């Protein structure tokens, strides 16, 4: 990474640390909790990306300047999208207009940030958490917006950012966690909504990038695959796909008995929300403890889920005492729903940087590498980077979190270069 890029990254890291740490604190503006997230009736003839509602959304930590607010002025959005089965829905999110000038040629670019796992309760939605340093409801409901580091790193390059809340996170219904189609639609339609928002520095020709890690990596990868057919008009230039759960069943098996066992509950709730036809199969296989777990995590953010379910095993929640992956093996409708979440059967038409830790204890490394191979075999331009951090306390998610942080400078630099139309690297055939 060059000297200029290093300085920019250092500035981004320092600013984000200050923002998260409260060194530049300013009072947050209260937002409308209930009515904003309750969507109006979706009229016939509307289009994905139509803005249904918007309001100012100040970042919790910000600095007034002569030209506005540093690092960005936010706008909370409620926009039209589609759910997992292609039916119209409403999704919330946030657009961030940076105070830093874009120093590249052409119009200011936009990056859609697809966030990692936040939880399943409405209070976990990014648009609710960007306006406060910490959300806390006693005794265990605690959350802080950890994606501020990546968001601020992009804003400080002069890149506008839009952050989707995903289907059902903030808005009515269960969040359809790690659902391939619903997340891809929410991400791509957040871009459309940002471009439709009046009063921004964006233009219809603004170059667009996709960014995501973990759950967000799956969403970014799925959006890159589906964009050619779902949103062909967008001026997409590249995608960062970090540690994507491309093979959902393998990921569920990996997290069983770890710090993130409770994310299995998010997944089951999300599958039932998206595919109600599987409800009877699922309910026939879970016990009372399993039902209580699903009801609890539906209203939790990650810290509370970790505090209450860490290192428990899915066999404790099933009728037969078998782990989830064994139970799924005899449930054809559930198998079909899980199989529909597979990423890699379509081909991105934009360059992709795919990063994955070799010792990832949450999303198995093999599925990230296989996704890169699948895309390469289909002719995509892929740069695959393996993070070689040695194993540290397996099961504690450390080897999933560390590559998120160490890969961030490369990811931002990669997208910045794509947005400037620099030639994209590829190491297909070399990994």
């Amino acid at each position: 990474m060059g000297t200029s890029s290093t300085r920019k990254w250092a500035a981004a890291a320092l600013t984000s640390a200050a923002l998260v740490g409260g060194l530049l604190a300013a009072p947050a503006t209260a937002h409308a909790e209930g009515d904003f997230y309750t969507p109006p009736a979706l009229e016939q003839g509307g289009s994905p990306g139509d803005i249904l509602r918007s309001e100012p959304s100040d970042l919790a930590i910000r600095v007034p300047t002569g030209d506005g607010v540093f690092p960005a002025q936010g706008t909370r959005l409620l926009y039209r999208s589609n759910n997992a089965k292609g039916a119209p829905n409403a999704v919330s999110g946030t657009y961030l207009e940076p105070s830093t000038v874009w120093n590249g040629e052409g119009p200011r670019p936009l990056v859609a940030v697809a966030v990692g796992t936040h939880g399943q309760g409405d209070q976990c939605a990014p648009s609710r958490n960007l306006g406060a340093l910490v959300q806390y409801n006693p005794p265990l409901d605690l959350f802080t917006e950890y994606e501020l580091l990546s968001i601020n790193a992009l804003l400080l390059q002069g890149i506008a950012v839009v952050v989707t809340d995903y289907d059902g996170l903030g808005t009515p219904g269960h969040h359809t966690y790690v659902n391939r189609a619903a997340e891809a639609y929410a991400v791509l339609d957040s871009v459309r909504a940002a471009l439709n928002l009046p009063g921004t520095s964006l233009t219809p020709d603004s170059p667009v990038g996709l960014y995501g890690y973990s759950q967000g990596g799956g969403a970014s990868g799925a959006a890159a695959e589906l964009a050619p057919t779902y949103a062909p008009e967008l001026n997409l230039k590249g995608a960062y796909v970090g540690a994507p759960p491309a093979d959902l069943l393998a990921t569920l098996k990996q997290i069983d008995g770890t710090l993130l066992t409770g994310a299995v509950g998010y997944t089951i709730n999300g599958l039932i929300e998206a595919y109600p036809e599987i409800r009877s199969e699922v309910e026939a296989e879970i016990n009372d403890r399993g039902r209580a777990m699903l009801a609890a995590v539906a209203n939790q953010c990650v810290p509370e889920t970790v505090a209450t379910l860490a290192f428990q095993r899915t066999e404790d929640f099933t009728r037969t005492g078998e782990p989830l992956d064994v139970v799924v093996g005899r449930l054809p409708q559930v198998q079909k729903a899980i199989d529909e979440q597979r990423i890699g059967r379509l081909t991105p038409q934009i360059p992709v940087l795919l990063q994955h830790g070799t010792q990832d204890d949450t999303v198995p490394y093999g599925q990230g590498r296989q996704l890169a191979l699948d895309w390469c075999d289909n002719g995509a331009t892929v740069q695959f980077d393996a993070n070689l951090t040695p194993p540290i306390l397996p099961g504690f998610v450390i080897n999933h979190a560390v590559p998120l942080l160490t890969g961030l400078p490369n990811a931002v630099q990669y997208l910045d270069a794509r947005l400037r139309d620099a030639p994209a690297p590829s190491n297909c055939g070399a990994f």
Side-chain angles (χ1 to χ4, degrees):
M1 189 161 57
T3 303
S4 175
S5 296
T6 301
R7 281 199 297 266
K8 287 181 179 179
W9 161 245
L14 288 171
T15 300
S16 295
L19 295 178
V20 175
L23 300 180
L24 303 174
T29 301
H31 57 71
E33 285 293 337
D35 291 344
F36 184 88
Y37 294 91
T38 302
L42 297 179
E43 298 178 1
Q44 294 289 335
S47 299
D50 285 352
I51 296 175
L52 305 173
R53 191 174 293 148
S54 66
E55 66 179 17
S57 177
D58 290 330
L59 293 173
I61 307 300
R62 62 199 188 278
V63 178
T65 70
D67 299 322
V69 180
F70 178 85
Q73 177 59 56
T75 302
R76 186 174 293 109
L77 304 171
L78 188 69
Y79 61 92
R80 185 176 178 127
S81 187
N82 287 296
N83 66 17
K85 294 191 173 180
N89 66 349
V91 176
S92 51
T94 306
Y95 170 73
L96 295 165
E97 173 80 14
S99 55
T100 302
V101 174
W102 168 245
N103 65 5
E105 296 181 3
R108 187 190 295 276
L110 172 69
V111 167
V113 171
V115 299
T117 299
H118 278 42
Q120 203 154 43
D122 285 341
Q123 73 277 18
C124 318
S127 67
R128 295 176 185 258
N129 287 283
L130 289 168
L133 280 177
V134 176
Q135 296 277 10
Y136 177 61
N137 295 297
L140 295 173
D141 184 10
L142 173 72
F143 195 76
T144 186
E145 186 47 75
Y146 63 84
E147 292 281 6
L148 274 172
L149 184 60
S150 54
I151 290 169
N152 280 304
L154 292 162
L155 291 173
L156 290 177
Q157 308 296 316
I159 299 169
V161 172
V162 65
V163 186
T164 182
D165 291 343
Y166 298 131
D167 174 33
L169 192 59
T171 49
H174 287 316
H175 167 39
T176 50
Y177 180 68
V178 294
N179 184 282
R180 171 179 163 272
E183 290 185 347
Y185 299 156
V187 169
L188 294 169
D189 290 330
S190 75
V191 173
R192 286 169 161 158
L195 296 175
N196 286 335
L197 187 67
T200 75
S201 57
L202 301 176
T203 75
D205 296 324
S206 285
V208 177
L210 308 173
Y211 184 105
Y213 187 90
S214 191
Q215 178 189 3
S220 176
E225 286 190 338
L226 289 171
T229 54
Y230 185 76
E233 82 283 4
L234 298 180
N235 187 19
L236 290 175
K237 296 294 188 178
Y240 166 61
V241 176
D247 182 342
L248 185 55
L249 188 59
T251 301
L252 295 175
K253 185 175 181 180
Q254 175 92 339
I255 63 175
D256 195 349
T258 72
L259 199 75
L260 277 180
T261 298
V264 173
Y266 301 156
T267 307
I268 294 172
N269 284 335
L271 286 170
I272 292 173
E273 181 77 10
Y275 307 95
E277 64 269 20
I278 73 172
R279 180 182 293 275
S280 59
E281 278 192 351
V282 173
E283 290 183 344
E285 294 292 343
I286 58 175
N287 57 24
D288 288 344
R289 188 175 175 187
R291 280 184 278 276
M293 180 270 290
L294 293 179
V297 301
N299 298 300
Q300 292 178 350
C301 300
V302 170
E304 183 173 8
T305 301
V306 168
T308 56
L309 291 169
F311 305 111
Q312 297 189 36
R313 306 200 65 87
T314 56
E315 61 199 44
D316 297 329
F317 304 120
T318 64
R319 173 183 57 82
T320 60
E322 298 168 301
L324 177 71
D325 60 300
V326 173
V327 173
V328 167
R330 59 171 179 269
L331 303 178
Q333 290 188 99
V334 176
Q335 285 184 46
K336 181 177 182 292
I338 290 176
D339 184 65
E340 287 185 14
Q341 313 320 314
R342 187 64 178 259
I343 306 170
R345 291 172 176 153
L346 300 173
T347 307
Q349 294 181 10
I350 55 174
V352 176
L353 169 64
L354 202 161
Q355 295 178 345
H356 212 130
T358 58
Q359 303 298 323
D360 194 320
D361 56 352
T362 303
V363 181
Y365 166 76
Q367 63 185 270
R369 181 176 182 273
Q370 186 59 53
L371 177 59
L373 290 171
D374 291 342
W375 280 343
C376 284
D377 288 345
N378 289 330
T381 300
V382 179
Q383 177 69 30
F384 179 69
D385 291 348
N387 183 290
L388 303 178
T389 302
I392 305 169
L393 296 175
F396 280 80
V397 195
I398 296 172
N399 281 86
H400 185 62
V402 168
L404 163 65
L405 300 174
T406 58
L408 178 56
N410 245 10
V412 172
Q413 183 188 34
Y414 177 88
L415 279 184
D416 184 80
R418 303 292 76 73
L419 296 169
R420 297 173 188 271
D421 283 327
S426 175
N427 60 353
C428 285
F431 58 86

